[in-house]
Amino acid sequence: QQQVKQSPQSLIVQKGGISIINCAYENTAFDYFPWYQQFPGKGPALLIAIRPDVSEKKEGRFTISFNKSAKQFSLHIMDSQPGDSATYFCAASRPGNTPLVFGKGTRLSVIA
Amino acid sequence: DGGITQSPKYLFRKEGQNVTLSCEQNLNHDAMYWYRQDPGQGLRLIYYSQIVNDFQKGDIAEGYSVSREKKESFPLTVTSAQKNPTAFYLCASTPGGFPHEQYFGPGTRLTVT
């Protein structure tokens, strides 16, 4: 119930291509779904987040798609660049100050 | 210049020794968290604190201890009881009412031999 399942574990994309990372959850009490980006040797940083009453949110080349009925959400990186190579974590939060539930991460490599 | 600082960046200890990792924030955030990161394991929650002088165990608290005597500080002690302490440790904080907006520190890589 508390898990967020993330796939794939690793992803290799050609420069200019679209990177897609998927997450699924069970707990319908989750009310916010952020994505974090982590470069090697650094701490993660909040990239983009979405509420379940919105089906899509776009910030630059990064888009979250949200399917409430399927309890799934995904991150799309358009025109992927080598600088996007990082580990991406999806997460979910519940109302109140309870900790985030993180997916296990996807290691993205964008090759030229 | 606000943010979260963790020190040191690299830490080496002998097996059997306790070691304390520092985490300080000047963001005036209420909640603070400690995570452990191992390759392929994602972020695993060790302890968290939502208010001064109070903290809760996370998913993997065994062998760790924390204190929260000041709002700005949340040190983590890795005790000799922790079976496999070598890992990358991350501290984070969130403003009150916004648990999804976690601000992470740069991390401390602990190696125990």
Side-chain angles (χ1 to χ4, degrees):
Chain A
Q1 268 275 322
Q2 297 304 320
Q3 283 186 328
V4 175
K5 294 184 180 178
Q6 183 172 348
S7 63
Q9 189 172 356
S10 62
L11 182 61
I12 299 174
V13 173
Q14 292 277 355
K15 179 182 175 182
I18 302 174
S19 304
I20 302 174
I21 304 169
N22 300 300
C23 287
Y25 64 98
E26 288 295 326
N27 190 345
T28 55
F30 289 140
D31 68 346
Y32 222 93
F33 300 88
W35 285 87
Y36 284 79
Q37 179 189 55
Q38 183 183 29
F39 293 107
K42 307 290 185 185
L46 179 64
L47 183 64
I48 187 173
I50 196 168
R51 289 196 179 278
D53 54 352
V54 176
S55 62
E56 186 175 281
K57 182 174 182 180
K58 186 175 182 178
E59 288 186 4
R61 294 184 295 107
F62 299 89
T63 299
I64 301 179
S65 297
F66 190 86
N67 186 332
K68 189 173 181 178
S69 60
K71 290 185 278 188
Q72 295 175 347
F73 58 110
S74 59
L75 176 69
H76 292 64
I77 306 174
M78 313 301 286
D79 187 26
S80 299
Q81 299 296 314
D84 297 328
S85 297
T87 299
Y88 293 82
F89 294 95
C90 63
S93 70
R94 287 166 290 163
N97 279 330
T98 53
L100 282 173
V101 178
F102 283 95
K104 292 204 172 205
T106 296
R107 188 170 183 173
L108 171 66
S109 298
V110 181
I111 57 175
Chain B
D1 195 18
I4 300 179
T5 56
Q6 292 185 245
S7 60
K9 188 166 180 64
Y10 299 96
L11 192 53
F12 299 89
R13 280 293 182 270
K14 294 288 187 186
E15 199 173 312
Q17 293 179 336
N18 291 353
V19 58
T20 297
L21 280 59
S22 166
C23 177
E24 304 277 333
Q25 54 99 359
N26 60 4
L27 300 167
N28 198 34
H29 286 173
D30 296 312
M32 296 186 74
Y33 308 80
W34 274 106
Y35 294 91
R36 170 181 172 140
Q37 188 171 29
D38 299 281
Q41 296 280 340
L43 302 167
R44 293 189 289 170
L45 182 65
I46 304 172
Y47 269 98
Y48 65 102
S49 167
Q50 296 175 336
I51 196 169
V52 174
N53 292 323
D54 189 39
F55 48 82
Q56 288 77 40
K57 292 181 179 180
D59 301 317
I60 56 164
E62 186 175 347
Y64 300 96
S65 66
V66 293
S67 63
R68 186 89 186 273
E69 297 176 1
K70 298 185 299 181
K71 188 176 185 177
E72 304 79 24
S73 178
F74 191 40
L76 173 75
T77 297
V78 184
T79 75
S80 57
Q82 168 51 233
K83 297 271 188 276
N84 187 17
T86 295
F88 188 49
Y89 290 88
L90 287 159
C91 178
S93 69
T94 59
F98 296 92
H100 68 280
E101 290 185 17
Q102 290 209 352
Y103 292 75
F104 283 85
T108 292
R109 187 165 299 279
L110 173 65
T111 303
V112 177
T113 58

